[in-house]
Amino acid sequence: MSSGPGLESLVDQTISVITNDGRNIVGVLKGFDQATNLILDESHERVYSTKEGVQQLVLGLYIIRGDNISVVGELDEELDSNLDLSKLRAHPLKPVIH
Amino acid sequence: MTLGNSKPVVRRRNLLLTDSLPLSTFEHRDALHRTSLRFSPLERFNGLFIRLFFSYFKDLVGREVTVELKNDLAIRGTLHSVDQYLNIKLENTRVVDQDKYPHMLSVRNCFIRGSVVRYVQLPPDGVDIELLHDATRREARGLQSECMLDFEGRIVL
């Protein structure tokens, strides 16, 4: 049974996780398993709103259960530093409906 | 069961692992166990065409696809890899409506969990309809003769 893509290449990288309830959490991937449970260090949540800029809430060391994960994206630090989060206005992401 | 013409009605069933009926509880359990050794837990749960789609996606690696998720987010990118759960890894990703969804602006490679995919939009020349049709038909036929039935004739995969 092949293990396929896996998240090995993303370990120790900064990643952006989108959860099933539409939250965006950014952190350093420390570990994962077959169920896509994740261990995220130095994590913070980015709250998007249409009224004010992006809010960043510090979370620290987090374990996110795999059931709740939609997307795990590799954050490009360069691109991210070019973003002006305080100017960004957006609707929060929709929750996943199965 | 006997009808008016007094010929007993025999209902035929396709049998898999043993030709003797009825199976005792233990024989049934063991036969089922033997079946489960052939199929992975995921396959037994979903049953049907996981293998087929896994192989199909493996052939599509390197093509440009758009994955639409169940939260309405659509991500375009090059298919890098796929796994047994149909988790998808995309490279060179761009969100389709970037103004509406700036949440992934700084992400260029992503891993998408299979459970959250609604559609995978393929390039039109990436689909060999005949081949797929054929493979699906074969798989369905194969599964029909491989179904395990319990004492009441219900399909137990």
Side-chain angles (χ1 to χ4, degrees), chain B residues 3-36:
Chain B
L3 298 177
N5 59 3
S6 77
K7 263 202 189 137
V9 174
V10 177
R11 285 159 74 187
R12 289 182 209 288
R13 302 184 197 280
N14 291 326
L15 294 172
L16 169 58
L17 298 166
T18 143
D19 283 325
S20 60
L21 245 197
L23 296 170
S24 73
T25 326
F26 292 103
E27 281 170 345
H28 178 265
R29 187 202 62 195
D30 293 335
L32 187 60
H33 180 61
R34 267 178 276 135
T35 314
S36 37

Side-chain angles (χ1 to χ4, degrees), chain B:
Chain B
M1 185 169 99
T2 12
L3 298 177
N5 59 3
S6 77
K7 263 202 189 137
V9 174
V10 177
R11 285 159 74 187
R12 289 182 209 288
R13 302 184 197 280
N14 291 326
L15 294 172
L16 169 58
L17 298 166
T18 143
D19 283 325
S20 60
L21 245 197
L23 296 170
S24 73
T25 326
F26 292 103
E27 281 170 345
H28 178 265
R29 187 202 62 195
D30 293 335
L32 187 60
H33 180 61
R34 267 178 276 135
T35 314
S36 37
L37 293 176
R38 292 183 54 197
F39 297 103
S40 74
L42 181 67
E43 283 173 342
R44 274 181 293 119
F45 181 68
N46 263 313
L48 308 181
F49 300 101
I50 291 282
R51 275 294 185 193
L52 190 154
F53 284 105
F54 180 31
S55 316
Y56 178 68
F57 281 128
K58 278 200 284 187
D59 291 335
L60 274 184
V61 167
R63 309 297 300 268
E64 181 99 338
V65 296
T66 302
V67 181
E68 185 176 322
L69 306 176
K70 291 179 181 170
N71 59 3
D72 289 350
L73 192 62
I75 305 173
R76 187 166 186 79
T78 317
L79 185 63
H80 175 267
S81 52
V82 73
D83 71 1
Q84 46 170 326
Y85 303 108
L86 301 186
N87 293 330
I88 293 171
K89 233 181 169 188
L90 292 180
E91 303 217 309
N92 241 315
T93 55
R94 293 271 194 290
V95 174
V96 168
D97 197 345
Q98 290 217 302
D99 302 315
K100 193 167 176 202
Y101 301 112
H103 312 75
M104 302 224 344
L105 275 176
S106 19
V107 172
R108 279 294 166 268
N109 302 322
C110 68
F111 168 95
I112 301 171
R113 201 162 191 267
S115 58
V116 87
V117 173
R118 185 187 289 142
Y119 303 125
V120 178
Q121 292 161 13
L122 310 163
D125 56 343
V127 190
D128 186 346
I129 303 269
E130 289 312 315
L131 198 66
L132 262 182
H133 201 181
D134 228 36
T136 319
R137 222 182 294 126
R138 249 181 288 126
E139 185 111 353
R141 213 182 303 134
L143 276 167
Q144 213 174 38
S145 56
E146 280 180 17
C147 271
M148 184 68 198
L149 296 167
D150 70 6
F151 338 85
E152 285 159 51
R154 283 190 295 245
I155 294 174
V156 177
L157 272 172

